Every structure is written in C-alpha cells, then in structure tokens.
Amino acid sequence: MRGSESAVMQGRAPSGATYAATVHRTTSPKALQQNGTITSSKGERKPEAVYVVGGTGYVKKGAEAWEKGPLSDPDIADSLEDPVAELDALRTYAKSAKVSRTGSGGRSVQLQVSATGWQLSAARSRPALKIPVREIGSTLAQLRGAGVTATDGQITLKSFTDTWVLDAEHGYRLASHRYAFAFLIPFRGGDITVSQEVRADNRGMFSGSVALPSGAPS
C-alpha cells in the first residue's frame, strides 16, 4: 500500500506526507495487521502499526502510546486501510459504479465511482463519498485548530475517484484498490487544496495469523 497527502495554499510552500505499508488480513477470524511508515515533507519518518482484532482497532504511531477503540472511532478509522471492507461497503451504492472489462482478454473487472462538486455538508450523507469524508476529518480538525473557519457548507469536493480491479479468473478476487480526492477549503480570500491518493495492490494469499504484539492494550 502506498499513499500521499498534501495541503496547498497559494503563495505558501505545500505541506504533506507519504505513506507505505504492508497489510496482512485474515477472514476466519477477521483480523488485520498493517505496518508502515509515515514520511513528512520535511523528511521526518514515523513508524505506524495498526491492528484489528476481535472487532476492535489498535493504533501505535512512533513512540506514542497505543490507541484502542471501535472501528467507528475517527482516530482509528483514519489510520486503517482495509480494501476488502471497502469493497463490501460498495454493495450499498453499487449502482453508482461504472463497470468495465480490463486487461488482456477482459480478465479483470473494473468498478469505478467518480464525483465532483459536492459540499462537505451534503457529502456526509452519501455512502459513495464515505472515503473522502472520513479521510478529510483529521486534516480539517488540524486546519480549524490553526484558524481556518470554513464550515462544512463552504468546503467543496473538487474531485473524487474510487477504483477497484477484480481478478475475474480467480473468483473476482480483489486485485487492487485506488482512490484519490481533493477538497477546496476557503481561507483568507483563497482556497486551501487538500488532496490525498492511496493505492493498495494484492500480492497474494496470506497464510499466517494476526495477533496483537506484546505491549498492546488488551
């Protein structure tokens, strides 16, 4: 999995970060292990560990203490990337997806959802826009703490594309998932553009197990 995010305002140097991680996931029992590194635009690196065990999320960033909470907790959800769960959620808005055959001989099926122009206030109630709404949360909280006063009704989803590729030769197994979005946030007569892009590729079957490391809260 690889991702990047940035916040850009005209006349100022952009700030942002990149992320790279490996994810292991099991289905019986349902569990996930995500180990990666966050690298800031200044070159600072911070390891991050994310686990889902027994329906509870656990997150540890660098030397910080473990966070534990339900998967609905914004701090947990913001760190968790689970393409399989996202694909399951697609069922609630499947009619919004454009379906096409890709690859040699149509061996893959692509599902894609695109959107633009939505105000954040309206996007919050749209299942198809769950990802950008979720992902903008922590960044928006930081910006508001720094003096940005734009309301949800003033923030616009400039663009959003969410793409799944399924392997038709192997039971429509998830082959890759990519999403990218950009929001425009009004500030001092201009806009702050907050954007993010994430891509996850399935590298094959995981035959191991997932268990919380020592030191994680029980």
Side-chain angles (χ1 to χ4, degrees), residues 139-155:
T139 300
L140 186 56
Q142 294 175 18
L143 290 173
R144 284 174 170 162
V148 174
T149 59
T151 65
D152 283 5
Q154 295 171 314
I155 297 171

Side-chain angles (χ1 to χ4, degrees), residues 61-83:
K61 298 180 180 181
E64 299 173 15
W66 282 93
E67 295 180 59
K68 174 185 176 182
L71 303 185
S72 58
D73 183 325
D75 290 335
I76 301 295
D78 188 52
S79 299
L80 175 64
E81 294 289 346
D82 186 351

Side-chain angles (χ1 to χ4, degrees), residues 88-195:
D88 287 342
L90 174 64
R91 297 172 184 172
T92 63
Y93 57 94
K95 292 182 180 180
S96 301
K98 178 182 178 181
V99 182
S100 59
R101 288 277 180 174
T102 62
S104 177
R107 296 177 180 177
S108 298
V109 174
Q110 177 177 285
L111 309 174
Q112 188 172 80
V113 176
S114 300
T116 185
W118 287 82
Q119 293 179 331
L120 179 56
S121 55
R124 291 191 183 279
S125 63
R126 305 294 297 182
L129 304 180
K130 176 183 176 181
I131 290 176
V133 169
R134 179 191 69 209
E135 295 295 321
I136 194 65
S138 61
T139 300
L140 186 56
Q142 294 175 18
L143 290 173
R144 284 174 170 162
V148 174
T149 59
T151 65
D152 283 5
Q154 295 171 314
I155 297 171
T156 304
L157 180 62
K158 180 181 179 182
S159 62
F160 172 56
T161 304
D162 197 10
T163 306
W164 292 265
V165 176
L166 308 181
D167 184 349
E169 290 191 317
H170 296 88
Y172 294 96
R173 181 179 63 191
L174 180 64
S176 68
H177 178 222
R178 175 185 175 274
Y179 64 82
F181 66 80
F183 279 97
L184 298 179
I185 304 175
F187 182 64
R188 295 180 179 176
D191 287 315
I192 300 173
T193 302
V194 175
S195 59

